[in-house]
Amino acid sequence: MKAKLLLFFLVTVIVWSCDEKRLAPDEIKPVVGKWVLNAVMQAGDAKPWEPIARKDATVFEIRYDGVILDANGLPACCVPKYLVYQGKKFTIEPKGKLAPNPTCALVLCLACDTWYLELENDQLILNQCNAGGRNRYARL
């Protein structure tokens, strides 16, 4: 009986430890806020960051629950299902009602379901789908 109990305990610990690392909402607080694009780096490009003029820059917001909003505060079109920050995955689950964004009906989305985020000197580095190209955003 003790052997079965020990075996059950070991299997439970092994299965539990193999579980995917998940972020809690309070762990994404450093990336919550409004961000404006200020530079891009092309995939496979050895060039440094290419600056983006402020007038051409896109703005988006990461809400406390991970929801991505556009510059007008509406749900952004073609957004991911997951954010990966500090090697941990965060599932985006709206905690409140979202207003519809009529613009999204006009957009064909070919976006991926995961955005990879890094913070460097209060700059947000965004890599969509781990495709290689990266966007750098400054906090607004």
Side-chain angles (χ1 to χ4, degrees):
M1 180 68 174
K2 287 183 182 179
K4 287 183 181 179
L5 204 54
L6 181 61
L7 181 61
F8 175 75
F9 177 74
L10 289 174
V11 169
T12 302
V13 168
I14 290 170
V15 169
W16 184 69
S17 65
C18 293
D19 194 21
E20 193 171 2
K21 294 178 182 177
R22 296 263 176 205
L23 282 171
D26 61 324
E27 293 178 287
I28 68 160
K29 281 183 182 177
V31 298
V32 169
K34 287 191 176 188
W35 299 94
V36 59
L37 183 66
N38 66 9
V40 297
M41 183 182 291
Q42 302 300 321
D45 201 348
K47 294 180 186 175
W49 289 99
E50 298 174 28
I52 301 293
R54 185 70 173 226
K55 66 179 177 63
D56 299 325
T58 57
V59 173
F60 76 94
E61 179 179 354
I62 299 176
R63 204 167 72 168
Y64 70 95
D65 55 0
V67 170
I68 310 296
L69 303 175
D70 66 13
N72 300 316
L74 294 173
C77 306
C78 308
V79 294
K81 295 177 186 174
Y82 311 101
L83 300 175
V84 174
Y85 176 64
Q86 295 182 334
K88 295 181 182 176
K89 189 182 245 185
F90 179 80
T91 302
I92 299 172
E93 295 174 350
K95 302 295 184 211
K97 191 171 183 172
L98 296 169
N101 187 340
T103 307
C104 294
L106 306 173
V107 178
L108 174 61
C109 292
L110 299 174
C112 64
D113 68 348
T114 305
W115 285 6
Y116 297 85
L117 309 173
E118 302 171 39
L119 274 181
E120 285 182 9
N121 302 323
D122 208 34
Q123 301 276 313
L124 180 70
I125 310 297
L126 171 60
N127 185 346
Q128 295 179 352
C129 309
N130 250 353
R134 301 179 341 152
N135 296 333
R136 187 177 68 198
Y137 295 84
R139 195 177 291 276
L140 271 180

